[in-house]
Amino acid sequence: MIELTNVSKSYRTDTIETLALQHLNLTVPAGEFLSIMGPSGCGKSTLLNIMGLIDEPTAGRVVLAGQEVTGYNGSRVARFRNEQLGFIFQSFHLINDLSVVDNVELPLLYRKVGSKERKRRSLEALEHVGLSNRAFHFPNQLSGGQKQRVAIARAIVGQPNILLADEPTGNLDSHMGGEIMDILLRLNQELGTTIVMVTHDERMAKKTHRLVRLSDGERVS
Ligand code: ADP
Ligand code: ADP
């Protein structure tokens, strides 16, 4: 499902080169819920961004959902991302001027799905995360945990094969974080969505199938 072979990433400025990832090999089978941990600056976001086609590796090969995506051009990347990938971020990234249901239907709008169908599927996604009763609220009328549930609904509305989560519980208290984690576990079990989650929380990581640790851009377990 996700296959990274000998992936390296360096960031270059005028004077310094930072090796963010070094010769990383990682295979995530379909249906796995994987967590990634490691100290700040060890390359976790870089790794997630490479898996999510937000960033390109300097060297190595990336295969996602059976397709070698290394070297895909801009429009192909955009389409692949829209069809195969869902993203969740620590800071939610909702659009405050749009209602909850309008936020959720954005990925379908990019796919040119008709408005009735968009609404139907968005309400269904909101039901999945237990937030049907907030469909016509606006993001700033919601708690942090509710905002993250909207973000999850938006991430799954297009039925992606792969969900990438960058510290999804990082901005939430432990109770709300636990609820978000329960939703992710349920999506993984019921829909079979492959999930890769970066976290700083050992308790969240323990609930997933496998934990990979990074240090200085290298895998240490
Ligand atoms: P983490 O998510 O584990 O905190 P990152 O993947 O964000 O780590 O960063 C890994 C390393 O790459 C860090 O040393 C960071 O400073 C560096 N880095 C990340 N993004 C950039 C960038 N755009 N330009 C230069 N260096 C970067
Ligand atoms: P932070 O923990 O600093 O708030 P985020 O979790 O918000 O970081 O974002 C993680 C990474 O994803 C960053 O490199 C950011 O540039 C990128 N990113 C954030 N939002 C989007 C988006 N909507 N589309 C693409 N990339 C994004």
Side-chain angles (χ1 to χ4, degrees):
M1 172 55 57
I2 302 174
E3 209 179 326
L4 304 187
T5 312
N6 219 3
V7 164
S8 296
K9 174 74 185 179
S10 63
Y11 293 101
R12 207 182 290 272
T13 58
D14 293 345
T15 47
I16 31 169
E17 184 180 1
T18 309
L19 283 170
L21 290 177
Q22 305 186 53
H23 306 292
L24 194 100
N25 291 296
L26 176 62
T27 301
V28 187
E32 184 169 57
F33 192 162
L34 174 75
S35 19
I36 296 172
M37 296 189 78
S40 186
C42 71
K44 302 181 298 295
S45 293
T46 301
L47 175 59
L48 214 60
N49 287 347
I50 286 174
M51 286 179 176
L53 307 184
I54 289 169
D55 219 342
E56 262 194 292
T58 318
R61 185 164 168 264
V62 180
V63 175
L64 298 177
Q67 296 184 49
E68 163 128 30
V69 294
T70 332
Y72 267 20
N73 66 20
S75 62
R76 243 181 135 186
V77 163
R79 198 172 70 229
F80 187 90
R81 220 191 271 155
N82 181 256
E83 288 173 359
Q84 303 278 350
L85 304 174
F87 296 91
I88 309 168
F89 302 98
Q90 181 176 2
S91 45
F92 321 128
H93 293 294
L94 299 176
I95 297 177
N96 285 323
D97 303 339
L98 294 180
S99 70
V100 163
V101 68
D102 287 346
N103 266 281
V104 173
E105 69 180 44
L106 283 173
L108 302 179
L109 194 66
Y110 295 131
R111 282 191 211 181
K112 303 191 166 58
V113 174
S115 77
K116 264 201 182 138
E117 179 70 5
R118 286 204 304 270
K119 200 70 74 193
R120 189 187 68 73
R121 288 172 63 179
S122 301
L123 291 171
E124 197 177 280
L126 283 168
E127 210 172 297
H128 255 295
V129 299
L131 214 61
S132 307
N133 59 346
R134 293 288 183 278
F136 299 100
H137 283 60
F138 284 79
N140 59 19
Q141 299 173 310
L142 304 178
S143 70
Q146 289 172 332
K147 284 183 194 172
Q148 194 60 297
R149 284 195 270 162
V150 177
I152 294 174
R154 181 182 56 188
I156 63 169
V157 74
Q159 300 176 315
N161 287 311
I162 300 170
L163 199 56
L164 301 173
D166 199 348
E167 294 190 49
T169 62
N171 272 337
L172 305 175
D173 66 35
S174 64
H175 174 70
M176 283 193 191
E179 281 182 6
I180 293 303
M181 196 58 203
D182 288 343
I183 290 172
L184 295 177
L185 286 162
R186 192 160 48 75
L187 290 173
N188 172 253
Q189 278 160 16
E190 289 177 7
L191 306 179
T193 312
T194 306
I195 305 181
V196 180
M197 174 180 76
V198 167
T199 182
H200 277 119
D201 192 330
E202 293 274 358
R203 286 164 309 167
M204 303 296 173
K206 277 210 179 86
K207 296 183 182 186
T208 67
H209 294 137
R210 184 163 63 114
L211 168 60
V212 163
R213 292 182 194 271
L214 296 184
S215 176
D216 282 335
E218 293 183 282
R219 263 185 82 167
V220 289
S221 76

